Amino acid sequence: MENQNNVTEFVFMGLWGNKQMELLFFFLFLFCYLAILMGNVIILLTITCSHLIGQPMYYFLCHLSFMDLCYTSTVVPRLIRDLGAARKNISYNNCMTQLFTAHLLAGVEIFILVSMALDRYVAIVKPLHYMVIMNRQRCSMLIFMAWGVGFWHSVAILLVVLNLPFCGPNQIDHYICDVKPLLKLVCKDIHVVNILMIANSGMVVVAVFLVLVASYILILYNLRTCSSLGRRKALSTCSSHVMVVILFFVPCIYIYVLPAGSENEDKEISVFYTVIAPMLNPLIYTLRNMEMRIAMWKVWSKIAHSKFR
């Protein structure tokens, strides 16, 4: 534990070493973050201020948008600041806080996506019992379980990293404090730790992704008995979920299944689930969802009417 105190701060190497490139991406990521804030706030307000909040699918979507807001706010503001800063440093304690918070919120988001897949499965396979099975109490329990699993996952990672000795160098080849770039700085053999991290993150992500794929295959199989109108509506909703799952899970699998010592494009690929996916989620769920567009028009028309009356 004494060795650990040799490093009191870390320095991010960032995404690119080119200063002109970083200035360009400063404005690009600032635009992306503003789009994330605006898009997810619109979804939150639309759902909470309309009848949609009573439907399980939109109840989960509301929580997903909240997670996107929280998760990106732990990563993107610092990334934007560092792109415009001469020195991209972060204290040891703040680094551990970012590591814990990012994995907590990402873990919660993953299991909210599982809950959304379960909701669609019940809606299509057992439509007559849908509101009984997916009642508000059970939906709230699923959200509570998502927070519990996310907390367990992030605590396990944090406890492992806190007990690792960092003797120097202190340059993180990334733009956030994450497990793999931190493990590269550890001054001891990390073979066992690599296995633990792959089991905690990589295998869990793969297992959840396979469960989601299996659930959507079952949904497609059961759509054979639906009417053409019901089939189109179900496919429209499920295709939105599948797009979100692919945007989030495929980059995560690429990053967390490979061991820390491997040379790959981790920091470039991680942009997909830290910035791009949270920015596209509101567009995917609104542009492809007629019910959401109608509710959005009613809510925002009411807000505009009350404001200018």
Side-chain angles (χ1 to χ4, degrees):
M1 292 297 288
E2 291 178 5
N3 290 335
Q4 197 170 330
N5 296 327
N6 290 347
V7 171
T8 58
E9 70 170 13
F10 295 101
V11 178
F12 294 123
M13 293 176 68
L15 278 167
W16 301 275
N18 188 311
K19 200 64 187 173
Q20 283 77 22
M21 185 77 78
E22 287 194 336
L23 189 62
L24 172 67
F25 278 93
F26 170 87
F27 291 105
L28 178 62
F29 283 123
L30 180 61
F31 169 78
C32 289
Y33 185 56
L34 292 174
I36 289 166
L37 292 178
M38 184 174 71
N40 285 291
V41 166
I42 286 172
I43 284 185
L44 281 169
L45 287 175
T46 300
I47 294 173
T48 54
C49 297
S50 70
H51 68 284
L52 295 180
I53 192 64
Q55 298 182 34
M57 182 177 80
Y58 296 104
Y59 177 74
F60 290 128
L61 177 57
C62 190
H63 282 276
L64 182 69
S65 291
F66 180 66
M67 283 301 103
D68 277 340
L69 279 174
C70 295
Y71 179 67
T72 53
S73 295
T74 66
V75 175
V76 182
R78 177 169 283 276
L79 169 61
I80 294 168
R81 192 210 71 170
D82 288 343
L83 285 169
R87 192 165 184 268
K88 306 169 177 61
N89 62 310
I90 183 172
S91 70
Y92 177 86
N93 289 337
N94 285 343
C95 182
M96 295 302 111
T97 301
Q98 187 185 57
L99 174 71
F100 174 81
T101 307
H103 276 270
L104 168 65
L105 298 173
V108 175
E109 183 157 339
I110 283 171
F111 285 95
I112 287 175
L113 289 171
V114 173
S115 300
M116 293 175 80
L118 174 65
D119 170 71
R120 290 301 83 203
Y121 176 80
V122 174
I124 292 165
V125 177
K126 296 184 179 292
L128 298 178
H129 303 94
Y130 173 62
M131 292 309 296
V132 176
I133 296 172
M134 299 303 295
N135 56 51
R136 181 49 57 89
Q137 184 180 359
R138 190 162 282 122
C139 291
S140 299
M141 184 186 71
L142 287 169
I143 295 296
F144 179 77
M145 285 174 61
W147 277 97
V149 173
F151 181 77
W152 173 84
H153 161 74
S154 54
V155 165
I157 285 178
L158 183 65
L159 289 177
V160 170
V161 175
L162 284 175
N163 284 286
L164 295 175
F166 296 98
C167 317
N170 66 339
Q171 288 190 322
I172 300 177
D173 188 17
H174 215 293
Y175 59 90
I176 56 172
C177 283
D178 203 0
V179 179
K180 282 182 68 177
L182 282 171
L183 287 181
K184 293 177 182 179
L185 305 181
V186 175
C187 49
K188 77 168 191 177
D189 183 74
I190 59 167
H191 283 93
V192 175
V193 178
N194 258 329
I195 293 169
L196 289 173
M197 290 300 105
I198 290 172
N200 187 300
S201 299
M203 292 302 103
V204 170
V205 171
V206 171
V208 171
F209 180 69
L210 291 176
V211 167
L212 289 172
V213 170
S215 70
Y216 286 116
I217 289 171
L218 286 171
I219 287 170
L220 288 172
Y221 179 78
N222 281 278
L223 281 176
R224 296 174 304 116
T225 58
C226 296
S227 64
S228 58
L229 180 63
R231 194 181 299 124
R232 280 200 302 272
K233 186 178 178 182
L235 282 173
S236 175
T237 305
C238 290
S239 62
S240 298
H241 293 182
V242 170
M243 288 170 69
V244 171
V245 165
I246 290 171
L247 277 170
F248 190 87
F249 276 88
V250 173
C252 282
I253 290 170
Y254 174 85
I255 289 172
Y256 292 109
V257 167
L258 298 175
S262 57
E263 294 298 324
N264 47 40
E265 306 298 323
D266 281 3
K267 58 185 179 182
E268 290 84 0
I269 297 295
S270 64
V271 172
F272 280 94
Y273 63 82
T274 57
V275 181
I276 295 174
M279 182 178 67
L280 294 180
N281 284 358
L283 292 175
I284 292 169
Y285 280 114
T286 54
L287 295 180
R288 297 179 59 84
N289 189 317
M290 179 64 74
E291 196 172 18
M292 188 74 186
R293 293 202 300 271
I294 293 170
M296 194 179 296
W297 172 256
K298 287 180 179 178
V299 168
W300 292 97
S301 296
K302 190 186 296 182
I303 291 172
H305 179 72
S306 62
K307 187 175 181 181
F308 296 107
R309 188 171 56 187

